[in-house]
Each structure stands twice: as structure tokens, then as C-alpha cells.
Amino acid sequence: MTDPTSSDSSDALARLKAQTEKPAAPEKPAESAEKSAPAEKPAEKPAAPEKSARVTMADRLNGWLDSLGSPDAEQIEKRIADTPGRMRRHQLRRRAEKQLRDRREQERQAEEQAKAKRRAELAAAIEETNRLLAERRAVEEAERAETERRAAAERAEAQRLAEAERRAAQEERETEALHIAARELDGTDHVPAPDRRPPLQQPGEELSDAQLLDRARALLPEWRRRDRIVEKARAIETAASAAAEGDGSDVDDRHDHDYLHDAPYVPPYVLPSRQRDPEPELSDTFRQVTVTITWVLAVAAGLVSTGWLGDATSLREIHDGAYRGGSSLLSMAGWWMAILPVLWGLLGAYVLYQWAPSQRSAVRQRAVGWYVANAMITWAAWFLLVHAQPWGLEILAAGATTVLSVRAIQVLNLHTARHRTERTFTDVVIGVFTGWSIVFCLFSVSVVLTRWGANLLWIPGEIWAVLGLLLTTWATSLLTMTERGRMAIALGYSWGLVAIMGARLFGQLFSTWVIIVAGICAFVVILTTENRRYRIARAERHQVPFDHDVDDETDDDANDGFGTDELNLTR
């Protein structure tokens, strides 16, 4: 801070400087005068009352100025001399103050920048936190939406699977009902595929199995007709497209070949079952033992009845030689009995095969075993009744044997053989026995009627014989054309017809018509059977690589120890 005297004007300083530069002598009086002047002032104060009457503002200002006193020259000189230092100090102080202010300003600015930086960092952190929270919320929302979508998709899939299972179960029920109706209709399992037929049970209906079967019986014929129309339309379309692509010269061949590959193959018989056989039961063993015992009884009764065992009268001599071959127009030659050892051997092979581990609880053995056992019992009864009574009751046993063996074939049609071994030791054996039993029943009826001397409607016996041959041939043809074509039945039946032809050619009762009709009937039965076998084999040969699985052996073959090369067809 500066003294109060430093505030004097520059004019006063100039005057003082001029006074200091005058000679010293005259200076003293001035100084004394100046010094005496202030000393005299106190003495003048008593005169103030004279002017107290009127004091102006100028008087007060002058009085105040006079009270200041005269300046000290020495002090002024010192101060003037100290002016550069003072100015230097002032500058230094100003510089220091400025530096201090600058430093404080820098510190303030740095602090403000730090605060701004911290605020910016804090704002960025808050923004980043908000962004992360927003992203996390978005992810959670997306995950929640995805979870809900998956849950909805799973619910929809579960509903779809449940609906598919329900529909599949319903289609299985309907297909089973249609199969039963088809078997009752023609003995096959040919029904339209589920995608080519309307449902039997409409939505909202709850039909029982019996009601479903009744509806299947009513609708199956019409559905089959429509299915055949669709198949024919496809065949025509295939043929038309083949004709459009080529010149039309090979339409038939291309139709036969392409259609067999393009159109779905519907086999005219029940396909082999691919399911495992059930677990063996005690009843299975009882059935096996029963079949074995009945075979022993049939063989023993046959050996005794033919005179090959024991002292009983031979069939050739009983009832005055009625069964030798010359007693009726449908009697067989005496060598018809040569087939008996063949039948016993075939039936014996069947009896042994049904004891195989794989056949113990086989479904088809359970279904057909009792029919075969009963047929062998009635066959044994025929041999016994021929010797036991003269009234011709053996025709009842012959008819029962025929009915039971035919029924056995019908059961086999519902349970197709799974491999060649099963077909050979079951279907072939029963087929030969059935064919023979048909013609043998005709033979027995004609012999008994001749013994009775029957004259039905006064129609000649030759006409009745021809009618009998035609009737049995028609029935046998229907039977041989089941499944894939049962040639064994045709061969067994033809053996009997050949024996009848031999008796008529070389026996006592010659009949041209019986010979011709019997020969034609044998030829027709074999021809129709072979035609069915050829057509089915040709269709399967074209379709097996595309529509079916082909196995050369099954587990049953491995258990039996028998080889097989039969085609196992599955849908």
C-alpha cells in the first residue's frame, strides 16, 4: 500500500522541486517563514469568533487544506528516489498477484475441467449403465419372447402330436375294422389306404368297435370300387403321358413297365405279419401234443383199414369191392391208395415242424393247428367207419374232413407264411391234403350213393358225375386262387382226377364224358392257379425293390435251423 502523501499532484511536486533547486540562504527565511506560519496559527484562533457569524463551505475546505501542513521535501525526495524500486516492487507484486491469479485461475479451470470430466465420466457411466440395462432388458424381453414362442411351439407340437396319435389310433382302428370286413368279404386284406379314403368315424362321433365294423362292412365295397377307378385313372394317365412322349408304338410295353413302378402295388392277399410271436403258453404244448396224437391215430387207422397192418379186411375187398374203382362213375382206380403214404409223410413233416421252437407259439400255428388235428381225426374216423358200418356213414366223416381242411386253408389265408420254410411245411402240406380231401369226398359220396342205388330226379348218373366234377372244380379253383396261388391244392385235387380218369379208361365203367371233363377240370385248376402265381410273381418282381422290404431270412429261420429264400413282403 502507498502513503497518503504519494497522492499529491504532479504540479505540487514540480514546485517543490523548483524550490529545492534555489540557493540555500534565501531558502532558510522561507523555511522559517513557513515554519513560523504554522506556529502563528494557534494565536490567530481567538479571532475566529469574529468570523463565526458566517462560515462557508469554501472556508471549511481551505481550513482543511491548511490543516494538512506543508510537504516534507526530504521525505518527498526519498520517496521520489525510491520510486523505481517502489515501482519495481509494485510490478513484482502485480506480477506475483497476476501469477497467483493465473495459477488460481488455472487451478480453478483445472478443477472445473476435472469436475466437468468427472461429470462427463459420470454421465457416460450412467449412459453406459442405462444402455447395458436397456440391452439387458431387451435380451430378457427377447429371451422371454423366445421362451414364450418355444412354449407355444411346444404346446402346438404337443397338440399336433396328440392329434396325430389320436388320428393314427383312429386310423388303426378303422383299418383293422376294414381288414376284418375285407376278410369276411373275400378273404384278403385289400382296403384303400388311409390317405385315399374318408374316415369311418366323423369328428364328434364316438363309435364302438362293433359300430365301426358295421360301418366298414357297409362302406368297404363302394370304397374298393372308387379305389379301383382311381387306379385305372392313374394307369390311363400314365399310358397317355407315355404316348405323348413317344410315337405310341410301345405304349403298352411302357405302360406295363412304368405303371408297375409308379403305381402303388396292392397285393391281393394278406401280407405276412412282421410282429413277434406271443410268449409260449401251456395251451401251445397241449395243441402240439394233440396234433401229434391225431396224426398217429390217422396213420394207424389208415394202415389197419387198408390191410397193410393187422388182419382187417382191406379197402379193396370191403363192401364187395366198392372202393376198388369200378363201383361208380367217380370211383378212383385201385392205385389211389398209393397217395396215402405220401399224405402220411407230409402230415408227419408238418407235425415235426410244429414242434420247432419258433412254431410253438406262432400265431398261424395257433390258428390252424386245431383244424388240422380235427381233420386228421375225422379222416381216421372215415377209415374206421368204412369197416364198422354198412350204411355209408363214412361220407359224413369225409365231408367233415373236407370242411375242416378247407377251413384250415382259409385261416392260412389270413396269416400268410413269413418265409419259404413255413410255407413248405405248413401251407404245402395242408394244401395237398385239402385238395385230396375234396376229390376224396366226391369219391366217397358217389360210392355210397351207388351202393344205395339212388336215382336222383331220374337224371342219368353220368350227368350227375359231370356236374359233381364241375362243381368241385369250381370250388377248388376258388380255393387255389387265394393267397399267391396255392398249387399244392391243385396238385392234390388233380391226383384224384387222374385216378378217376384211369378208372374210367381202364375199368369196367367206361365214360367218355367223365374222362374228358375230369381231364379238362384238372387242366383248368392247374392253369388258373399257375396264372395267378405268374401274375403276382411278375407284379412283385417289379415292385419289391421300390415298395417292399426284402429279407432272405427271418429270426424264425435262424431259430428253426432251416434256410429260406422266400420274399418277405411288407407294406
Side-chain angles (χ1 to χ4, degrees):
M1 297 297 294
T2 58
D3 296 335
T5 59
S6 61
S7 61
D8 295 340
S9 64
S10 59
D11 294 338
L13 290 177
R15 287 193 305 269
L16 288 175
K17 186 178 180 180
Q19 292 177 2
T20 57
E21 289 178 353
K22 293 181 178 183
E27 186 179 5
K28 292 179 180 180
E31 295 177 357
S32 61
E34 295 175 356
K35 292 178 182 180
S36 60
E40 292 177 355
K41 290 180 180 179
E44 295 177 354
K45 291 181 178 180
E50 297 178 358
K51 300 180 179 179
S52 58
R54 190 177 182 177
V55 180
T56 63
M57 183 62 68
D59 294 338
R60 290 180 181 180
L61 179 61
N62 290 331
W64 177 76
L65 292 176
D66 291 340
S67 67
L68 293 177
S70 61
D72 190 352
E74 185 177 359
Q75 187 177 5
I76 291 172
E77 289 181 355
K78 289 180 180 180
R79 289 191 176 185
I80 292 173
D82 192 44
T83 298
R86 195 156 32 82
M87 294 179 65
R88 177 66 178 172
R89 288 192 299 274
H90 180 69
Q91 292 177 353
L92 292 175
R93 187 167 54 253
R94 292 281 301 274
R95 186 178 300 172
E97 290 176 355
K98 185 176 181 301
Q99 291 177 353
L100 180 61
R101 286 194 303 273
D102 292 343
R103 186 168 60 253
R104 288 179 178 175
E105 182 67 19
Q106 291 177 356
E107 291 177 354
R108 185 185 64 78
Q109 292 179 356
E111 185 177 358
E112 290 180 356
Q113 290 179 356
K115 290 181 179 179
K117 184 177 181 180
R118 286 195 297 273
R119 286 196 297 271
E121 291 177 352
L122 182 59
I126 293 174
E127 183 179 359
E128 180 68 15
T129 302
N130 293 334
R131 185 184 66 80
L132 292 177
L133 289 176
E135 290 181 355
R136 183 174 180 178
R137 284 194 296 270
V139 171
E140 290 177 353
E141 289 293 334
E143 291 178 352
R144 187 181 301 109
E146 180 66 17
T147 302
E148 293 177 356
R149 187 189 65 79
R150 289 181 179 177
E154 290 177 356
R155 288 193 298 270
E157 181 67 15
Q159 292 176 357
R160 188 186 66 81
L161 292 177
E163 180 64 20
E165 291 179 358
R166 186 195 64 77
R167 188 167 55 252
Q170 181 61 28
E171 288 181 354
E172 185 177 355
R173 284 187 63 218
E174 293 181 358
T175 302
E176 182 63 24
L178 289 170
H179 281 166
I180 295 175
R183 291 166 186 171
E184 294 176 354
L185 187 61
D186 56 8
T188 68
D189 275 352
H190 173 45
V191 298
D195 57 341
R196 294 169 59 180
R197 69 171 189 255
L200 287 174
Q201 178 175 288
Q202 300 301 324
E205 291 183 331
E206 293 294 339
L207 300 180
S208 63
D209 293 341
Q211 294 173 334
L212 204 64
L213 180 58
D214 292 338
R215 186 169 294 183
R217 289 168 178 162
L219 297 177
L220 180 60
E222 178 63 19
W223 286 1
R224 278 185 169 181
R225 186 184 67 82
R226 294 179 181 178
D227 196 55
R228 285 193 295 270
I229 293 174
V230 172
E231 290 296 329
K232 291 179 180 179
R234 289 184 177 180
I236 294 172
E237 182 180 358
T238 303
S241 61
E245 293 176 0
D247 57 358
S249 59
D250 57 347
V251 170
D252 293 337
D253 294 339
R254 296 175 68 173
H255 166 261
D256 291 342
H257 182 270
D258 294 342
Y259 178 68
L260 285 173
H261 286 74
D262 296 337
Y265 173 62
V266 181
Y269 58 90
V270 180
L271 292 172
S273 174
R274 308 295 292 178
Q275 298 179 353
R276 289 280 184 182
D277 292 327
E279 293 297 325
E281 299 176 357
L282 183 61
S283 60
D284 296 321
T285 303
F286 180 69
R287 185 197 70 249
Q288 292 172 313
V289 172
T290 303
V291 171
T292 304
I293 293 175
T294 56
W295 175 77
V296 173
L297 292 176
V299 173
L303 290 174
V304 172
S305 179
T306 55
W308 298 342
L309 181 65
D311 298 332
T313 305
S314 173
L315 281 174
R316 294 176 181 272
E317 305 299 333
I318 198 169
H319 302 307
D320 299 328
Y323 290 96
R324 275 188 302 190
S327 61
S328 69
L329 289 174
L330 293 180
S331 295
M332 292 185 287
W335 43 268
W336 68 267
M337 290 184 290
I339 199 176
L340 294 180
V342 177
L343 294 176
W344 294 333
L346 291 176
L347 291 173
Y350 165 76
V351 171
L352 292 177
Y353 181 67
Q354 57 122 21
W355 282 97
S358 66
Q359 299 298 307
R360 180 182 179 185
S361 60
V363 175
R364 67 196 322 258
Q365 291 294 345
R366 287 182 175 180
V368 78
W370 292 108
Y371 287 107
V372 176
N374 291 328
M376 287 191 292
I377 289 177
T378 56
W379 191 32
W382 184 90
F383 287 111
L384 297 178
L385 288 174
V386 168
H387 290 270
Q389 51 79 38
W391 306 292
L393 298 181
E394 63 268 20
I395 61 174
L396 299 178
T401 303
T402 303
V403 171
L404 290 171
S405 59
V406 169
R407 183 55 186 161
I409 292 296
Q410 292 175 346
V411 170
L412 290 178
N413 289 336
L414 302 180
H415 305 279
T416 303
R418 293 168 291 185
H419 44 81
R420 174 162 293 184
T421 304
E422 202 170 59
R423 180 182 300 277
T424 301
F425 288 94
T426 302
D427 296 60
V428 171
V429 172
I430 298 176
V432 172
F433 181 72
T434 301
W436 163 254
S437 66
I438 293 174
V439 72
F440 187 73
C441 180
L442 182 63
F443 166 44
S444 298
V445 171
S446 67
V447 169
V448 171
L449 289 177
T450 302
R451 284 168 49 195
W452 288 350
N455 186 11
L456 300 177
L457 302 177
W458 300 279
I459 297 176
E462 192 171 26
I463 296 178
W464 282 115
V466 171
L467 291 177
L469 289 173
L470 294 177
L471 180 62
T472 55
T473 300
W474 171 75
T476 305
S477 298
L478 292 179
L479 202 60
T480 59
M481 293 184 66
T482 58
E483 214 239 15
R484 299 175 71 246
R486 296 190 177 276
M487 184 58 71
I489 299 177
L491 293 177
Y493 180 74
S494 298
W495 171 269
L497 294 182
V498 171
I500 292 175
M501 292 171 60
R504 301 290 73 74
L505 279 172
F506 307 105
Q508 298 176 0
L509 296 177
F510 179 84
S511 176
T512 304
W513 285 107
V514 172
I515 295 173
I516 295 175
V517 172
I520 293 176
C521 288
F523 176 76
V524 168
V525 169
I526 295 177
L527 180 63
T528 55
T529 306
E530 182 58 30
N531 178 64
R532 179 178 176 85
R533 291 172 57 85
Y534 168 76
R535 291 173 64 86
I536 292 179
R538 181 171 179 269
E540 290 176 350
R541 185 166 59 252
H542 285 285
Q543 292 293 334
V544 162
F546 300 94
D547 294 342
H548 301 87
D549 297 330
V550 180
D551 300 325
D552 288 339
E553 292 187 2
T554 63
D555 295 337
D556 292 338
D557 294 329
N559 294 332
D560 293 340
F562 295 105
T564 179
D565 55 359
E566 182 73 9
L567 296 179
N568 297 319
L569 306 179
T570 59
R571 296 290 296 200

